[in-house]
Amino acid sequence: MSRKYIDCRDYPGSTCSVKISADTEAELLEATIEHAVKAHGHQDTPELRAQLAAMFKDDTGNADTRLAA
């Protein structure tokens, strides 16, 4: 499964360095909206959700390297 991510540095005019990733787009969207509202003062609107979701990228970095329990 490919993780998705969004990086605040990709948002026009942002000076924030936060990068958020998740296994699903739904989980990533909720975390991204929470960050946008709390850290940047945005309103949670359908337009903001669509704009942010359009900025999601596939994480093509290393495979999941978590240790097996």
Side-chain angles (χ1 to χ4, degrees):
M1 173 185 300
S2 175
R3 291 176 62 86
K4 301 281 187 180
Y5 77 92
I6 189 168
D7 192 326
C8 271
R9 293 172 292 189
D10 294 338
Y11 195 85
S14 177
T15 59
C16 180
S17 64
V18 169
K19 181 177 179 181
I20 303 169
S21 65
D23 287 337
T24 68
E25 287 191 15
E27 184 180 19
L28 180 56
L29 183 58
E30 292 309 312
T32 300
I33 287 294
E34 183 177 331
H35 174 73
V37 169
K38 288 183 177 180
H40 299 291
H42 291 286
Q43 295 294 316
D44 182 356
T45 64
E47 294 81 12
L48 179 63
R49 286 176 173 264
Q51 183 179 25
L52 293 174
M55 297 175 68
F56 291 174
K57 298 178 182 173
D58 288 325
D59 188 349
T60 57
N62 296 334
D64 190 353
T65 57
R66 291 177 288 178
L67 297 175

